[in-house]
Amino acid sequence: ESLHVPALRTVVRISPFGQSGPYRDRAATSAVLQAAGGWTARIGTPEGPPYFVGGHLEEYVAGAYAAAAALTAHRQASLTGETVEVDVSIFECIVGTVPYPMLQKLTFDRLGFPVPQRYQPIPGIMRCRDGYVGISSLTGQHWSDVCALLEIPELGEKMREVTLRGAEWQQFVAKAEPWLLARDAAEIVGVFQAMRVPAVPIGNGANLPKMEPFASRKFYVEQPGAGFLRPRSPLRLSATPVAAPREAPRLGEHGKAAPTSSTNEPRTSVPTPSRNASTGR
């Protein structure tokens, strides 16, 4: 007698505002989601407009939440034998990352320490001889080392004052810029990292393919038939290697497209992939 084991099924639905509620059918871009979730209120210089994070970072945050939820749902499905559906709201995932800066501000307010309404790494992105470098002082020791390396020891005890972007910040920039403009990004990064201060060269379309570790790992490859460089897949799997780059298919080359509708979809209309992407297993 054969034993039939029903296939387990976990469905994870990721959408801008979730599968229910008044905003469930509302279209949203990366900027809209970041603004609604509170990110843009904390990013940018105090005197300028708010900024949003590039690269669709909110999708990576939501993906991390969705991955944990998918594993939890799969475990539940294996215990009950029933289909488990997960509803992931990108908006709610963004809000879930906000409590830490809120707690920081409340704590500093109670201690009587002023904090800037916008967050920017100190000293942040600075110009150097061949481009830009990013330097971040996460601790008081970092800041002390930054000032020592830049030959501005007198500001080593004024991290909070410099953070407020007042007269001390202008003093810092005036003294740091000559030191930075006299050196290339690679040299600056090497010196700061040797002191265990977070520092990186700032990439752009021209220099990214030449940077380590991109160059050593051959991350940028030529697009067949087009003659330009593009990033390859960031995933490298030993059992199922990623296919080599190939030209995009021509219209109608692969026959009719597979239907996108699903009888399990709770909505009455089928959203576009950018608004509501679902994965099933």
Side-chain angles (χ1 to χ4, degrees):
E1 181 179 355
S2 62
L3 177 64
H4 173 69
V5 179
L8 300 178
R9 187 161 185 262
T10 300
V11 179
V12 179
R13 293 188 173 90
I14 306 174
S15 59
F17 297 103
Q19 301 294 312
S20 62
Y23 287 0
R24 72 170 194 169
D25 293 315
R26 177 170 292 189
T29 63
S30 177
V32 168
L33 287 168
Q34 291 188 33
W39 277 6
T40 56
R42 292 280 293 168
I43 303 174
T45 58
E47 65 275 9
Y51 298 116
F52 70 94
V53 180
H56 296 276
L57 186 61
E58 75 286 346
E59 295 181 1
Y60 289 91
V61 173
Y65 278 89
L71 293 173
T72 304
H74 179 71
R75 176 179 174 82
Q76 180 66 16
S78 66
L79 294 175
T80 64
E82 299 177 353
T83 297
V84 178
E85 297 187 9
V86 178
D87 176 10
V88 179
S89 163
I90 301 177
F91 167 63
E92 293 175 3
C93 293
I94 292 176
V95 174
T97 68
V98 174
Y100 174 77
M102 292 174 61
L103 178 61
Q104 180 190 39
K105 184 179 186 307
L106 288 172
T107 302
F108 275 71
D109 284 345
R110 290 175 180 176
L111 293 175
F113 297 148
V115 293
Q117 296 300 311
R118 303 278 181 80
Y119 173 77
Q120 187 177 10
I122 298 296
I125 297 176
M126 305 286 290
R127 186 186 295 274
C128 61
R129 182 162 57 190
D130 62 344
Y132 293 87
V133 292
I135 306 170
S136 180
S137 302
L138 302 176
T139 67
Q141 183 62 54
H142 284 158
W143 176 249
S144 178
D145 292 338
V146 166
C147 291
L149 290 171
L150 294 176
E151 302 175 6
I152 319 174
E154 64 272 19
L155 294 178
E157 299 296 328
K158 296 186 177 182
M159 181 177 183
R160 185 166 62 87
E161 290 83 353
V162 174
T163 302
L164 295 176
R165 302 275 168 169
E168 290 81 2
W169 166 250
Q170 299 300 328
Q171 180 184 356
F172 172 84
V173 172
K175 294 188 176 183
E177 280 187 339
W179 191 96
L180 294 168
L181 291 174
R183 294 165 174 80
D184 292 338
E187 178 187 355
I188 296 170
V189 170
V191 170
F192 277 84
Q193 289 189 353
M195 292 292 291
R196 304 184 68 82
V197 175
V200 293
I202 301 300
N204 55 45
N207 64 9
L208 276 174
K210 302 174 184 178
M211 285 186 179
E212 295 289 349
F214 298 135
S216 63
R217 288 176 57 84
K218 297 180 174 60
F219 179 68
Y220 285 90
V221 296
E222 185 172 332
Q223 174 63 24
F228 61 83
L229 293 179
R230 69 164 180 85
R232 62 162 176 77
S233 170
L235 305 177
R236 295 190 178 187
L237 308 178
S238 59
T240 55
V242 177
R246 59 183 182 274
E247 294 187 51
R250 299 183 182 278
L251 185 64
E253 179 180 343
H254 295 156
K256 294 182 179 180
T260 58
S261 61
S262 172
T263 56
N264 293 322
E265 186 64 48
R267 303 186 183 207
T268 57
S269 61
V270 179
T272 60
S274 62
R275 290 181 55 196
N276 189 339
S278 298
T279 60
R281 177 167 57 184

